[in-house]
Each structure stands twice: as C-alpha cells, then as structure tokens.
Amino acid sequence: MKTENARQRHLAQFGEKFEQVEAFIAATTSGKRPNTYLYRLAVHQYEMARMCWFDGEDTESAEELLRASIATCDRYAGRRRQIRFVRIAALEALTFIYNSLGRLEDAERIILQQLDIERALAAENAEVYTENVALTLWHLANLYVDMQRDKDAEARYRECLELRSTFDDEDIYRYRPATAQCHRSLGNLYFARLNDPAAAERHFLQAVTISEQLCENEYERCNHIRDLARSLRLLADFYRHTGREKQAQPLNERAKRLNEEFELPLPFDMPADGAES
C-alpha cells in the first residue's frame, strides 16, 4: 500500500481540478436547475480511483474517490440515464476493493446497492439487463460463501439459476457457460458445506451436461473444452470422496484427454505465416 505522502500526491494530482469544476458549477448553475456537470465530475472521480488502484494499488485513495463518485451520482438530478451506469461501475470497483481488504460486510452493503439498481434497470428492459442481475446474484452468493453464510449463499445461487432459466435458451453459447458455473458453485456448496451429497451430485451432473452440449458444435468446442474438463474433475472428486473410485477414474481420464485436445490445432485453423496451405 502507498505511504500517506504518496497517497496525498495521488489525490493532489487531480484534487485541484475537481475543486475548479465544483467552483464553476456553483458559479454558473442556479439552485433550481439540475447540475449537469455532476455527471462529468462523477466520471472523473471514478477514473481517478481506477488510476490510484491499478497504477499504485493505493486502496485508501481509491476508496475515497469511489465513495465521492457515488455521492456525486446521488446528487445529480438531471436526465442523463448513463449516470446509473457510472454509479454501478463505482459500486463494482468499491466491492472489489472491500473484498481484497477482507471487509466483507462493507462489500455486502455495496453489492446490495448495486443489485437494487440493476433490478430497477431489468424492470424497465428485461431483455437487456436481466443477465446483469443474475451475474450480481452469483457474485453475492460467492461473497456469502466467504462470509460462511451458507444458507444465504444457497438462496442467492438458486435465485440466480431461476433467473437464468428465463433467458438461457436465447443464445446458449453466450449464456449457458455461466449457468454451468452456477451449477458448479452450488455443487461445491452442497458437498463442502451443506452436507447434501444428492444435491451436490445433481448440480455437478448438470454442469457436465451443459458443457457437453456446448462442445457438440465443432466451431464452439474450443471455447468450452476447459469448462467441461473442470466439471468432470469436480464430479470425479465428488465420487472419490464418497467412496466411488470406479466412477471417478474414467471421468479424470476423460478430463485429461480434453485438456490434451485443447492444446491441439483445430481443423479450421488458418496456417501459420510461411506454412504451406
């Protein structure tokens, strides 16, 4: 983490610019008019937070700027719909930082705010934003696993799967990999935490089935081989730990062959430069 002096230098680099923008806003905007410059200010604060985090791993400055960006979004009273996406981006980044610092209760509070915004967007346009709600539910479930709130994690994973079932058939190669991942997550939860081997096996098998279906298309197969191998290994580990070694061994062998297949050139690959066609 940066020292306090380095943190202050980071903030000073852009702090004066922020102050100038705020002063200009106060001088040119009437109290009755929505402050249209707040959108740009929120974006600047968010981008500066990204620089503090990614360039210097200065989590303290990044947190301060992200919280300022969210507060700026809350102050905005105009009609620019993009302000909600700036707020979501700042919330996502803040959740990531809190997770990295082990501040899980703070991460939960922030991700629940994000979920509220995304649910509102999905209510307006389900076709575009429902997937975002499902993804955030999955992240929330993962957070509850880290917090050892297993029943809450189960509920959020199941809600995620139920929501995904409403759009999964629309584009299987886009949507179903994440559905298979959710089944794997639930399988791990039932097996490692909730002591429900029947449910664990059911979800591991479902993950395998989905990945197998995705691999049936020769042009899509390369994108899903590793997920299928991962699902097979999880199912094999489950069988091994439940005393079914004979069922586990062929699954591990199959996963190994899939990994080897992934390293081979595909039949429709273009030849390398200088190679004969």
Side-chain angles (χ1 to χ4, degrees):
M1 183 180 291
K2 291 284 187 180
T3 65
E4 180 62 23
N5 288 338
R7 191 179 81 85
Q8 293 299 330
R9 287 197 299 271
H10 250 139
L11 290 175
Q13 183 178 0
F14 284 81
E16 184 177 352
K17 181 176 182 179
F18 288 157
E19 292 176 2
Q20 291 173 352
V21 172
E22 287 278 37
F24 177 76
I25 290 170
T28 59
T29 307
S30 68
K32 295 182 179 179
R33 179 184 173 190
N35 195 333
T36 56
Y37 289 92
L38 286 176
Y39 171 79
R40 293 170 62 185
L41 179 61
V43 172
H44 283 311
Q45 289 166 326
Y46 169 72
E47 293 297 338
M48 179 57 191
R50 285 175 53 88
M51 290 178 62
C52 288
W53 171 247
F54 290 110
D55 293 346
E57 295 185 2
D58 181 359
T59 56
E60 192 173 351
S61 296
E63 177 186 0
E64 184 176 334
L65 286 161
L66 288 169
R67 290 170 66 88
S69 179
I70 294 166
T72 301
C73 291
D74 291 341
R75 289 165 53 199
Y76 180 72
R79 298 181 180 180
R80 229 173 168 166
R81 294 172 60 86
Q82 296 97 320
I83 196 75
R84 291 188 286 187
F85 303 109
V86 177
R87 195 173 193 274
I88 287 174
L91 289 168
E92 285 181 337
L94 197 54
T95 299
F96 180 83
I97 289 175
Y98 286 152
N99 269 317
S100 69
L101 296 175
R103 295 167 57 181
L104 302 186
E105 290 78 10
D106 287 331
E108 179 194 11
R109 174 174 52 81
I110 297 301
I111 201 171
L112 286 172
Q113 293 179 38
Q114 178 186 339
L115 187 59
D116 286 341
I117 299 173
E118 289 175 341
R119 287 190 193 278
L121 288 168
E124 297 175 6
N125 192 336
E127 292 184 358
V128 174
Y129 298 112
T130 299
E131 183 188 12
N132 294 350
V133 177
L135 181 60
T136 302
L137 285 168
W138 182 73
H139 284 302
L140 180 59
N142 291 340
L143 177 63
Y144 285 146
V145 170
D146 291 339
M147 298 173 76
Q148 298 187 9
R149 292 168 54 179
D150 298 335
K151 284 296 184 180
D152 288 331
E154 177 191 17
R156 298 291 79 77
Y157 282 139
R158 291 176 65 85
E159 185 180 359
C160 175
L161 278 179
E162 182 178 355
L163 197 59
R164 298 197 69 84
S165 69
T166 65
F167 59 83
D168 238 15
D169 291 334
E170 295 174 10
D171 185 341
I172 64 173
Y173 300 108
R174 172 181 174 183
Y175 297 129
R176 286 195 178 167
T179 301
Q181 176 60 65
C182 196
H183 280 294
R184 287 192 291 268
S185 298
L186 260 175
N188 284 326
L189 181 66
Y190 282 125
F191 181 48
R193 298 280 190 86
L194 295 177
N195 193 28
D196 189 341
E201 182 178 13
R202 184 170 64 252
H203 285 287
F204 286 142
L205 285 169
Q206 188 62 43
V208 169
T209 298
I210 292 173
S211 294
E212 285 176 333
Q213 292 171 346
L214 296 175
C215 286
E216 289 175 358
N217 184 319
E218 65 173 318
Y219 296 101
E220 289 285 344
R221 185 176 178 84
C222 60
N223 298 319
H224 307 288
I225 287 177
R226 283 181 291 186
D227 283 346
L228 177 54
R230 185 181 301 115
S231 298
L232 289 168
R233 286 194 300 270
L234 284 171
L235 183 58
D237 288 344
F238 169 77
Y239 284 147
R240 182 169 56 84
H241 282 95
T242 54
R244 289 179 274 181
E245 186 65 39
K246 288 184 178 180
Q247 290 177 265
Q249 184 176 352
L251 295 175
N252 277 323
E253 292 173 354
R254 185 180 173 198
K256 182 180 179 180
R257 290 195 300 271
L258 287 169
N259 284 330
E260 292 171 351
E261 177 186 342
F262 182 77
E263 301 299 328
L264 296 174
L266 297 170
F268 49 86
D269 277 349
M270 295 293 292
D273 290 342
E276 293 185 4
S277 58

